[in-house]
Amino acid sequence: MPNRRDLFRLGAASAAALHAPSVRAQQARVLKFIPHSNLFTLDPIWNPAAVVRNHGFMVFDTLYGVDETYQARPQMAAGHVFEDGERVCTITLREGLTFHDGSPVRGRDVVASLQRWMRRASVGQKLAEVTDELTTVDDRRIRFQLKRRFPQLLRGLGQASVPIPFIMPERLANTDPFQQVREVVGSGPFRFIQNEFNPGGFAAYERFAGYRPAESGEPSLIAGPKRVHFDRVEWHIIPDAATAAAAIQSGAMDWFEAPPTELEPLLARSRAISVESLETLPRPAMMRINQLNSPLSDVNIRRAILPAVDQKAFMSALVGDEPSRILNFGVYTPGTPYASEAGLEPLLGPRDVNRSKQMLRDAGYANQPVRLLGAMDVAAQSALAQVAADLFRRVDMNLDFAAQDWGSLMQRTNNREGLDRGGWSAYCTFFPGLEFTNPGAHLVLRGNGLRGANGWPTSERLEALREEWFQAPDAAAEMRIATEMQRVAIDEVLFIPLGAYRANTAIKKSLTGRVQGLPVFWNIRQA
């Protein structure tokens, strides 16, 4: 029987046969990357998963981008002018912007792209509500006519929270946002090589010679010049973590995005590899709950689970016994301005499984099945799912554990049907910390039912508070309202916070200039 190393060699040989690069690619400067999961879709508006977002930043660009201080800086935009008490905003594109198919970026491409994004993004939906009209002035200018002043406009257009307001050609942007685009054409720093794409195995990108980086500033988060120093970037999907670790140790790969904690010491011992923080913020983890399906559609049954939730146990499954990498989490990313422990009493203090059992009996739980989806091909997702499965068993709930790959799980969470028709009850996941820094862009801090993200919670209290936050007169009012939103989210158990952790990445020491915050491929270079 072949050992793991033999299997890796066989797999590498097979991949080489399937994805043999051209002579030009062999002579190019190539960066080889192992993403944390399979790239299961190519449309970052249709699905907000982090791996799809990372793909999006390769291919697409945005009007604005936020820097590490969360200030919006122009990217595709040359600038903007506010008029009429900030109810009119005209944005001008930089000259010479082109898509990968050679066509110019025009105002009508931008308008169509933003209209598609506004139907899916949390802050985009609010922007749509306050917009009387979004129009094309000419090929280089677009104009927002607002019903009232909207201070979050530019920050929303440059947000680092998913879905990102990426710009694509009008013919693609006209696609229903609840359907996937069938072609990948952007104006970003890399061009997607469609004919080399092998779902579940391989994706390749080449430097777009026609890309025009922002002309000023320094790279910071998703703002500043996006200068590319590699001719080609390859994504090698390697689900087996030990095989991925062997690949970067041998030099076959350059960057392993998400090594499991147990392999980090091994990788750190290599003189050629740096194990370092992947992002500037910790990653929040949560259990998403389908509030359309019984029994978790009952808020009292959701509340009954909380006394048994041990955030430390969930996070220890991800990072081991490293207290410095584990943080409590409520609604906002730890370390960001709105983060607090307000309303977290049900999740803090001693854990009590017996109390959960009693609360379930009091709520009338009658042994209805609970289907927990678990992605077993992503180490972090698998660990969270297994701790969650143990939690449901310990509180004597009738668990139906559905193991699958991450791409299939994401597809399945769009199913609003009952369990007898392939539906679901819950799944665990994590998000980049950038996603949960404020209520406006927070993907899952919503109570807008079927118009919201999967899970579809309905909360009139939360939606009313969200409206107040957008109209808050000052920072103190924003803080007060954001805190109350956290209390409501925990009280109504819109989702179950599972803690936050600091994620590491493994990268060759010979690579320098990596932009901190998320896995992006501009500015990084060979030393």
Side-chain angles (χ1 to χ4, degrees), residues 404-433:
Q404 56 214 275
D405 64 83
W406 178 238
S408 298
L409 185 151
M410 281 280 90
Q411 296 273 4
R412 192 168 182 176
T413 59
N414 292 317
N415 186 346
R416 298 175 180 175
E417 302 290 345
L419 303 192
D420 59 337
R421 301 188 65 181
W424 57 281
S425 303
Y427 73 97
C428 299
T429 189
F430 59 85
F431 289 83

Side-chain angles (χ1 to χ4, degrees), residues 334-370:
T336 60
Y338 294 117
S340 75
E341 294 188 351
L344 300 190
E345 292 81 6
L347 291 166
L348 303 179
R351 303 289 79 203
D352 191 338
V353 170
N354 289 328
R355 176 167 169 73
S356 280
K357 291 179 179 180
Q358 183 60 54
M359 291 176 67
L360 283 169
R361 287 192 291 269
D362 293 343
Y365 176 64
N367 203 42
Q368 302 100 312
V370 172

Side-chain angles (χ1 to χ4, degrees), residues 233-255:
V233 174
E234 297 177 355
W235 286 21
H236 295 257
I237 291 85
I238 306 177
D240 182 76
T243 303
I248 191 171
Q249 285 179 294
S250 71
M253 295 290 138
D254 301 305
W255 187 358

Side-chain angles (χ1 to χ4, degrees), residues 308-491:
V309 174
D310 185 346
Q311 291 197 351
K312 183 178 179 181
F314 276 96
M315 295 302 96
S316 294
L318 299 181
V319 299
D321 187 20
E322 293 192 47
S324 63
R325 293 176 64 182
I326 297 175
L327 301 95
N328 291 332
F329 165 59
V331 164
Y332 308 107
T333 303
T336 60
Y338 294 117
S340 75
E341 294 188 351
L344 300 190
E345 292 81 6
L347 291 166
L348 303 179
R351 303 289 79 203
D352 191 338
V353 170
N354 289 328
R355 176 167 169 73
S356 280
K357 291 179 179 180
Q358 183 60 54
M359 291 176 67
L360 283 169
R361 287 192 291 269
D362 293 343
Y365 176 64
N367 203 42
Q368 302 100 312
V370 172
R371 179 170 295 148
L372 175 68
L373 307 183
M376 309 311 287
D377 62 328
V378 181
Q381 307 284 7
S382 175
L384 291 173
Q386 291 178 65
V387 178
D390 180 64
L391 166 67
F392 282 119
R393 293 186 184 107
R394 286 188 297 115
V395 299
D396 293 338
M397 297 190 82
N398 181 6
L399 177 67
D400 173 8
F401 185 70
Q404 56 214 275
D405 64 83
W406 178 238
S408 298
L409 185 151
M410 281 280 90
Q411 296 273 4
R412 192 168 182 176
T413 59
N414 292 317
N415 186 346
R416 298 175 180 175
E417 302 290 345
L419 303 192
D420 59 337
R421 301 188 65 181
W424 57 281
S425 303
Y427 73 97
C428 299
T429 189
F430 59 85
F431 289 83
L434 292 166
E435 304 295 341
F436 300 154
T437 58
N438 75 72
H442 201 302
L443 178 69
V444 298
L445 191 58
R446 297 299 308 271
N448 57 338
L450 296 180
R451 295 193 302 118
N454 57 31
W456 309 287
T458 298
S459 172
E460 293 181 2
R461 292 165 64 196
L462 187 71
E463 288 298 295
L465 285 167
R466 184 170 181 270
E467 179 63 29
E468 286 184 38
W469 185 84
F470 276 112
Q471 300 191 46
D474 51 45
E478 287 180 347
M479 180 67 73
R480 174 184 57 78
I481 297 165
T483 300
E484 185 59 23
M485 290 176 72
Q486 174 163 289
R487 294 183 190 278
V488 171
I490 300 300
D491 178 56

Side-chain angles (χ1 to χ4, degrees), residues 141-362:
R141 290 185 296 167
I142 69 166
R143 179 167 294 150
F144 283 91
Q145 178 73 52
L146 304 175
K147 298 174 183 176
R148 58 175 173 80
R149 180 175 174 268
F150 189 67
Q152 292 83 13
L153 174 61
L154 298 182
R155 189 168 61 184
L157 296 178
Q159 70 177 29
S161 303
V162 294
I164 308 295
F166 290 125
I167 305 303
M168 58 185 66
E170 181 185 30
R171 61 186 172 80
L172 300 180
N174 284 335
T175 304
D176 185 317
F178 294 92
Q179 301 292 327
Q180 301 179 61
V181 294
R182 299 302 177 186
E183 186 182 358
V184 182
V185 178
S187 65
F190 291 91
R191 184 178 69 84
F192 181 68
I193 308 176
Q194 183 70 53
N195 63 1
E196 293 191 39
F197 180 49
N198 177 26
F202 183 82
Y205 307 81
E206 65 179 10
R207 184 175 65 87
F208 176 41
Y211 182 68
R212 295 172 58 88
E215 296 169 354
S216 62
E218 294 296 324
S220 176
L221 202 54
I222 59 171
K226 298 176 180 177
R227 297 189 179 95
V228 172
H229 301 281
F230 286 91
D231 301 309
R232 176 180 169 97
V233 174
E234 297 177 355
W235 286 21
H236 295 257
I237 291 85
I238 306 177
D240 182 76
T243 303
I248 191 171
Q249 285 179 294
S250 71
M253 295 290 138
D254 301 305
W255 187 358
F256 183 4
E257 181 187 359
T261 304
E262 64 269 19
L263 294 178
E264 289 177 10
L266 173 68
L267 295 172
R269 286 197 291 270
S270 170
R271 293 181 179 181
I273 298 171
S274 173
V275 176
E276 59 193 49
S277 294
L278 174 63
E279 298 157 332
T280 52
L281 293 172
R283 285 184 166 185
M286 65 175 60
M287 183 186 297
R288 303 290 298 277
I289 297 173
N290 185 346
Q291 302 197 19
L292 303 181
N293 282 337
S294 176
L296 297 184
S297 55
D298 185 334
V299 67
N300 290 316
I301 288 179
R302 299 198 300 272
R303 287 172 181 153
I305 299 170
L306 298 185
V309 174
D310 185 346
Q311 291 197 351
K312 183 178 179 181
F314 276 96
M315 295 302 96
S316 294
L318 299 181
V319 299
D321 187 20
E322 293 192 47
S324 63
R325 293 176 64 182
I326 297 175
L327 301 95
N328 291 332
F329 165 59
V331 164
Y332 308 107
T333 303
T336 60
Y338 294 117
S340 75
E341 294 188 351
L344 300 190
E345 292 81 6
L347 291 166
L348 303 179
R351 303 289 79 203
D352 191 338
V353 170
N354 289 328
R355 176 167 169 73
S356 280
K357 291 179 179 180
Q358 183 60 54
M359 291 176 67
L360 283 169
R361 287 192 291 269
D362 293 343

Side-chain angles (χ1 to χ4, degrees), residues 31-94:
L31 190 155
K32 297 182 179 182
F33 175 71
I34 306 171
H36 73 270
S37 76
N38 176 32
L39 181 60
F40 59 89
T41 179
L42 303 175
D43 187 347
I45 303 299
W46 179 77
N47 191 286
V51 69
V52 189
R53 174 206 64 182
N54 299 343
H55 154 81
F57 275 118
M58 300 283 287
V59 176
F60 302 102
D61 211 349
T62 55
L63 290 179
Y64 294 82
V66 293
D67 61 20
E68 60 190 9
T69 67
Y70 309 116
Q71 298 302 306
R73 289 161 46 182
Q75 292 299 121
M76 297 175 73
H80 56 269
V81 175
F82 281 104
E83 301 171 285
D84 192 18
E86 297 190 12
R87 291 190 300 118
V88 175
C89 178
T90 303
I91 299 173
T92 301
L93 296 173
R94 291 192 287 122

